[in-house]
């Protein structure tokens, strides 16, 4: 993996941080991006610039992505892939979910991911041997979680994007896949789990026959999809949910 660069979008905590850690352990080089870059610096104090470049970026500022992608291409000579783990979730009744909120959620969860794939699929922006992109969707796009209509819609759009974009990019040896995740223990999920009473928490846990996920459970699959071992896999959304969607009610 020496000299093969992956863009880690949303690398400062949670699933993005776990995946960055695993990529570095397996010998990849990583461009790690988020708003809080200090958290990334503190996490990897001993990793040199030849293996880890840290780029501060707010993915809500979609207008800045083009310049940032050019900078990353200059720094790396082109990426071998990207995983997009940046995301925001707001739980809000539909009647109070105004267009402004929809735009905010879609900018971070959806439009920035589309734009980065567009920019890194241009000739010279990705490795001559091809590239792999992985997006993180959610089971919220498939089941009726209260207050999650906008979040679910922003993730459903990622899944809808995958098949056509993958077919279009296959000729460039670019693969594109998504993971639809159940609940994984991170800051994002703990924000709503912490607000639950004991009964609600028990009901949630009972819905996961293999228990709630840990960031490493997802990181392993992302790194597999980024690697050459997954060279024949594209255009798919894989469900990772600890058996949640197939449990007996
Ligand atoms: N955890 C779950 O249960 C779960 C379930 C289904 C899907 N997912 C999806 O999986 C992905 C990762 O989730 P997670 O649980 O690891 O979330 P998390 O712990 O909240 O981490 C989110 C990451 O995204 C970055 N980020 C958020 N907004 C950003 C912005 N505007 N610009 C740049 N970076 C931004 C954060 O960095 P900064 O704050 O430093 O910018 C952080 O590194 C998300 O897309 C989420 O929707 C998670």
């Amino acid at each position: 993996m020496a000299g093969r660069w992956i863009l880690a979008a949303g690398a400062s905590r949670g699933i993005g941080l776990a995946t960055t850690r695993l990529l570095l352990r397996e010998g990849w080089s990583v461009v790690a991006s988020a708003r809080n870059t200090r958290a990334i610096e503190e996490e990897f104090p001993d990793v040199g610039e030849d293996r880890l470049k840290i780029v501060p970026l707010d993915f809500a500022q979609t207008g800045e992505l083009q310049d940032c992608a050019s900078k990353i291409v200059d720094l790396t000579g082109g990426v071998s892939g990207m995983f997009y783990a940046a995301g925001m979730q707001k739980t809000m009744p539909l009647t109070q979910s105004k267009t402004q909120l929809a735009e905010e959620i879609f900018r971070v969860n959806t439009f920035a991911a589309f734009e980065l794939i567009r920019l890194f699929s241009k000739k010279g922006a990705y490795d001559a041997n091809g590239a792999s992109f992985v997006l993180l969707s959610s089971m919220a796009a498939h089941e009726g979680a209260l207050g999650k209509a906008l979040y679910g819609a922003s993730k459903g759009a990622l899944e809808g994007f995958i098949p056509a974009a993958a077919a279009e990019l296959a000729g460039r040896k670019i693969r594109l896949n998504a993971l639809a995740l159940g609940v994984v223990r991170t800051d994002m999920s703990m924000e709503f789990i912490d607000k639950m009473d004991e009964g609600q928490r028990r009901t949630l846990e009972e819905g996961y026959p293999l228990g709630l996920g840990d960031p490493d459970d997802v990181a392993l699959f992302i790194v597999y999809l980024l690697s050459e071992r997954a060279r024949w896999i594209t255009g798919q959304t894989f469900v990772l949910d600890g058996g949640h969607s197939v449990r007996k009610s």
Side-chain angles (χ1 to χ4, degrees), residues 60 88 90 99-110:
M88 62 175 288
K90 286 251 162 72
T99 307
Q100 198 179 346
L101 178 65
E103 284 171 357
E104 191 189 347
I105 291 176
F106 269 77
R107 260 201 307 277
V108 177
N109 290 2
T110 317

Side-chain angles (χ1 to χ4, degrees), residues 5 24 29 47 60 66 74 80 92 96 102 124 126 135-136 147 160 177 186 197 206-207 224 229:
W5 289 92
L24 289 169
S29 300
V47 183
Q66 184 141 10
D74 289 345
S80 296
M92 182 79 72
Q96 290 171 36
Y126 64 95
L135 305 180
L136 295 187
N177 294 286
T186 64
D197 62 33
E206 282 169 2
Y224 167 68
R229 286 169 288 186

Side-chain angles (χ1 to χ4, degrees), residues 10 12-13 15 35-36 57-59 85-86 137 151 155 182 184 186:
S12 62
R13 52 199 156 83
I15 295 163
R35 290 165 301 185
N36 180 7
L57 191 57
D58 181 347
F59 293 106
S137 179
Y151 176 72
K155 295 299 188 178
V184 180
T186 64

Side-chain angles (χ1 to χ4, degrees), residues 56-78:
L57 191 57
D58 181 347
F59 293 106
Q61 308 300 321
T62 30
E64 291 177 12
L65 295 179
Q66 184 141 10
D67 284 350
C68 189
S70 302
K71 184 174 155 194
I72 291 169
V73 172
D74 289 345
L75 287 171
T76 61

Side-chain angles (χ1 to χ4, degrees), residues 181-195:
L181 305 177
V183 177
V184 180
R185 280 193 205 83
T186 64
D187 289 355
M188 183 183 282
S189 57
M190 290 319 290
E191 203 183 311
F192 67 81
I193 292 172
D194 281 347
K195 287 182 190 139

Side-chain angles (χ1 to χ4, degrees), residues 8-238:
S12 62
R13 52 199 156 83
I15 295 163
L17 175 61
T19 308
T20 300
R21 204 181 283 129
L22 183 59
L23 284 166
L24 289 169
R25 205 184 313 141
E26 294 209 345
W28 296 82
S29 300
V30 179
V31 178
S33 192
R35 290 165 301 185
N36 180 7
T37 47
R38 180 175 293 190
I40 306 173
E41 285 160 13
E42 286 173 359
E43 193 68 32
F44 305 107
D46 302 324
V47 183
E49 275 251 340
D50 56 327
R51 299 283 318 286
L52 177 66
K53 298 188 194 299
I54 299 174
V55 176
L57 191 57
D58 181 347
F59 293 106
Q61 308 300 321
T62 30
E64 291 177 12
L65 295 179
Q66 184 141 10
D67 284 350
C68 189
S70 302
K71 184 174 155 194
I72 291 169
V73 172
D74 289 345
L75 287 171
T76 61
V79 299
S80 296
M82 172 191 78
F83 70 86
Y84 191 83
M88 62 175 288
Q89 204 218 149
K90 286 251 162 72
T91 306
M92 182 79 72
L94 189 55
T95 49
Q96 290 171 36
S97 301
K98 295 186 181 155
T99 307
Q100 198 179 346
L101 178 65
E103 284 171 357
E104 191 189 347
I105 291 176
F106 269 77
R107 260 201 307 277
V108 177
N109 290 2
T110 317
F111 299 148
F114 292 172
E115 179 66 356
L116 287 170
I117 288 168
R118 187 183 77 78
L119 292 166
F120 284 105
S121 297
K122 292 188 175 184
K123 292 219 168 70
Y126 64 95
D127 192 294
N129 295 315
S132 169
F133 300 129
V134 181
L135 305 180
L136 295 187
S137 179
S138 167
M139 290 307 288
H142 301 271
E143 54 189 17
L146 299 180
K148 302 238 168 61
L150 292 182
Y151 176 72
S154 72
K155 295 299 188 178
L158 293 179
E159 295 186 26
F161 175 79
I162 292 278
E168 203 172 315
L169 295 175
R172 296 179 179 226
K173 286 195 275 180
I174 293 174
R175 296 182 294 104
L176 182 56
N177 294 286
L179 307 182
L181 305 177
V183 177
V184 180
R185 280 193 205 83
T186 64
D187 289 355
M188 183 183 282
S189 57
M190 290 319 290
E191 203 183 311
F192 67 81
I193 292 172
D194 281 347
K195 287 182 190 139
M196 289 176 165
D197 62 33
E198 209 180 307
Q200 290 170 320
R201 213 174 293 189
R202 201 174 325 113
T203 305
L204 173 74
E205 281 165 8
E206 282 169 2
Y208 283 78
L210 297 180
L212 303 184
D214 284 320
D216 284 339
D217 297 324
V218 183
L220 282 161
F221 204 63
I222 295 175
V223 174
Y224 167 68
L225 288 172
L226 291 171
S227 79
E228 265 298 297
R229 286 169 288 186
R231 57 182 281 278
W232 207 47
I233 302 174
T234 196
Q236 305 303 313
T237 295
F238 299 93

